[in-house]
């Protein structure tokens, strides 16, 4: 007798990356509005700016806005839907022996995918509010403290999970399996902390209240530095294990986790610089910003190349992306594509255009921006493909009871 099942029925906390990926694609569509819609006097475009640009803009502008609207609405819905599914599935998973085995292994750190996804959803919902809610900017100063409370709660959750993991593996020897540390999977906690940090940095870029800006700068800096330290230490120890044992095949996509970490922390630094400029009268030049973004992009390209070489050599794409095999870790491929797309948008607009090296909406502008759109299309294709693979039902022959 045939039954129907799906790979996601064998739950792993890494499925929170499905929600994270959808949220990241939401952000990538917001880049269209962020850099193409005029929003004079405000750091981000709001509903009124978008409607004004749609009413008076060219057909190309209108097409871009409609595309952004559809993309933001669809992927924000998927982000929330997958988050709620994961929270429910995790609750059931905690009642199983598999969960007890997980929290006694290196894989305990995968639980940090939960606060990572939660922080992304808060960011995505703020974007939804900016794009679709009229008059939101008039009450935004009241929303910033609420947002920081939400990020503080997520940060505490992340800190407790990290503390439990590190307390277990560092308090006595032999608990952490060094031979299974042959990937960048242990950078997931750093990614979660960096996502909370960039959320805390948002008021620094958008608020006009000095107290709010100051608190935002301090808290985001503390978390950002913590994320950097964790990334360096975890990556350094992982490289040693990979050189000795090779890269764990199913964890291969984590080799590119540096890419989204760099984008998230890069945006955090840009938000902080904006707050320093507007509130504390600390000024930096556009040329310095361009060089800063170029350095970040160089780091990303290096790790993208590393990940591609290893995954190609292992035949990962043939098996887990275009093939029939499934692994929850495949969702880690979405993040680098989204992060590269977002970083290129910032590099072009806040770097090349702002410093005067290229003209906005010129041939050079669209040539480089086209690379961001290609990366975004890859991310969308991965989200849709992996969704069918992991959440689509397929017939499986049931084993008869004896």
């Amino acid at each position: 007798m045939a039954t129907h099942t799906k790979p996601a029925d064998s739950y792993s906390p890494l499925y929170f990356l499905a929600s994270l990926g959808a949220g990241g694609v939401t952000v990538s569509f917001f880049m269209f509005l962020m850099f193409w819609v005029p929003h004079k006097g405000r750091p981000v475009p709001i509903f009124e700016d978008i409607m004004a640009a749609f009413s008076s803009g060219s057909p190309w502008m209108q097409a871009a806005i409609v595309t952004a609207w559809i993309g933001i609405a669809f992927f924000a819905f998927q982000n929330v839907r997958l988050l709620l599914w994961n929270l429910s599935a995790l609750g059931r998973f905690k009642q199983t022996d598999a969960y007890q085995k997980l929290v006694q292994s290196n894989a305990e750190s995968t639980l940090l995918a939960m606060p990572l996804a939660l922080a992304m959803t808060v960011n995505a919902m703020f974007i939804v509010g900016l794009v679709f809610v009229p008059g939101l900017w008039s009450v935004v100063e009241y929303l910033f403290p609420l947002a920081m409370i939400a990020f503080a709660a997520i940060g505490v959750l992340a800190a407790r999970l990290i503390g439990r993991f590190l307390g277990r593996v560092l308090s006595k020897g032999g608990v952490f399996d060094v031979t299974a540390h042959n990937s960048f999977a242990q950078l997931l906690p750093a990614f979660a902390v960096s996502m909370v940090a960039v959320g805390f940095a948002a008021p620094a870029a958008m608020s006009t209240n000095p107290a709010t800006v100051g608190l935002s700068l301090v808290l985001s800096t503390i978390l950002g530095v913590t994320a950097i330290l964790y990334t360096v230490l975890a990556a350094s120890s992982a490289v040693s294990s990979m050189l000795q044992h090779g890269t764990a095949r199913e964890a291969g996509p984590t080799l590119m986790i540096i890419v989204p970490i760099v984008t998230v922390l890069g945006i955090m630094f840009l938000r902080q610089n904006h707050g320093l400029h507007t509130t504390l009268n600390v000024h930096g030049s556009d040329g310095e910003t361009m060089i800063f973004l170029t350095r970040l992009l160089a780091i990303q390209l290096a790790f993208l190349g590393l990940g591609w070489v290893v995954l190609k050599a292992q035949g990962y794409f043939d098996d887990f992306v275009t093939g029939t095999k499934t692994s929850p870790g495949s969702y880690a491929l979405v993040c680098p594509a989204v992060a590269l797309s977002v970083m290129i948008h910032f590099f072009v607009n806040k770097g090349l255009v702002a410093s005067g090296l290229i003209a906005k909406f010129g041939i050079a502008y669209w040539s480089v921006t086209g690379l961001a759109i290609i990366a975004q299309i890859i991310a969308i294709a991965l989200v849709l493909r992996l969704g069918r693979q992991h959440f689509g039902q397929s017939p499986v022959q049931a084993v008869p009871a004896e």
Side-chain angles (χ1 to χ4, degrees):
M1 181 180 64
T3 60
H4 288 270
T5 186
K6 54 183 179 290
D9 289 335
S10 299
Y11 185 72
S12 165
L14 289 176
Y15 276 119
F16 275 102
L17 298 181
S19 173
L20 176 73
V25 175
T26 302
V27 175
S28 72
F29 277 106
F30 182 67
M31 293 297 99
F32 294 4
L33 307 176
M34 176 74 179
F35 295 119
W36 301 347
V37 170
H39 46 94
K40 187 175 181 179
R42 278 183 290 267
V44 291
I46 61 174
F47 174 83
E48 288 76 10
D49 297 321
I50 299 167
M51 291 305 300
F54 184 81
S55 300
S56 60
S58 67
W60 290 109
M61 175 66 79
Q62 292 174 337
I65 291 173
V66 170
T67 301
W69 276 337
I70 294 172
I72 290 170
F74 177 78
F75 285 101
F77 172 77
Q78 296 300 321
N79 167 256
V80 174
R81 181 183 68 83
L82 289 166
L83 178 68
L84 295 176
W85 177 85
N86 269 283
L87 292 172
S88 176
L90 179 62
R92 295 190 299 270
F93 180 63
K94 286 183 176 181
Q95 309 304 315
T96 67
D97 293 337
Y99 174 77
Q100 297 304 320
K101 182 178 179 181
L102 179 139
V103 297
Q104 296 301 319
S105 69
N106 292 14
E108 183 182 7
S109 61
T110 62
L111 292 172
L112 270 297
M114 174 178 58
L116 173 60
L118 288 170
M120 173 58 83
T121 298
V122 175
N123 286 317
M125 291 304 98
F126 191 73
I127 286 175
V128 169
L130 289 175
V131 173
F132 295 111
V133 179
L136 184 70
W137 200 251
S138 63
V139 296
V140 73
E141 290 292 349
Y142 299 99
L143 298 179
F144 290 140
L146 296 177
M148 286 197 286
I149 291 172
F151 282 114
I154 297 170
V156 169
L157 173 61
R160 291 182 61 183
L161 292 173
I162 294 172
R164 187 176 70 180
F165 173 67
L166 293 181
R168 179 175 64 82
V169 301
L170 296 178
S171 61
K172 51 186 177 181
V175 175
F176 188 79
D177 186 357
V178 178
T179 63
H181 186 34
N182 52 340
S183 71
F184 281 171
Q186 295 302 327
L187 271 65
L188 190 59
F191 192 6
V193 174
S194 65
M195 188 65 73
V196 178
V198 76
F200 267 121
M206 292 182 255
S207 177
T208 57
N209 185 308
T212 301
V213 172
L215 185 61
S216 170
L217 288 170
V218 171
L219 293 177
S220 61
T221 297
I222 292 172
L223 290 170
V225 170
T226 301
I228 292 171
L229 290 174
Y230 202 113
T231 298
V232 171
L233 293 174
S236 299
S237 58
V239 168
S240 175
S241 183
M242 284 188 284
L243 289 174
Q244 186 173 359
H245 304 287
T247 302
R249 191 160 186 261
E250 289 197 27
T254 63
L255 292 177
M256 294 185 279
I257 197 174
I258 294 290
V259 178
I261 291 175
V262 166
T263 289
V264 169
L265 291 177
I267 294 173
M268 182 198 75
F269 286 124
L270 291 177
R271 287 175 169 180
Q272 290 179 332
N273 287 341
H274 188 84
L276 289 170
H277 170 72
T278 58
T279 303
L280 300 180
N281 203 32
V282 177
H283 304 289
S285 70
D286 292 326
E288 290 173 327
T289 300
M290 189 272 293
I291 290 296
F292 170 69
L293 291 172
T294 303
R295 289 168 179 163
L296 296 186
L297 190 58
I299 295 171
Q300 292 181 315
L301 293 176
F303 280 95
L304 280 170
L306 172 65
W308 175 264
V309 167
V310 174
L311 292 175
K312 191 69 175 176
Q314 291 181 331
Y316 186 93
F317 299 104
D318 292 336
D319 284 344
F320 296 104
V321 179
T322 60
T324 58
K325 295 182 180 180
T326 58
S327 169
S330 299
Y331 274 102
L333 292 171
V334 178
C335 301
V338 168
L340 181 65
S341 176
V342 172
M343 177 56 73
I344 292 175
H345 278 293
F346 274 94
F347 171 69
V348 170
N349 292 277
K350 295 295 185 180
L352 299 179
V353 173
S355 61
L357 292 179
I358 65 172
K360 190 164 186 176
F361 301 144
I363 295 176
Y365 180 94
W366 288 117
S367 297
V368 186
T369 298
L371 300 176
I373 295 174
I374 290 171
Q376 180 186 25
I377 292 171
I378 293 172
I380 293 170
L382 283 169
V383 168
L384 298 178
R385 168 65 178 172
L386 295 174
R388 290 194 299 271
Q389 280 184 307
H390 290 265
F391 294 92
Q393 293 188 342
S394 58
V396 176
Q397 191 69 27
V399 177
E402 298 187 4

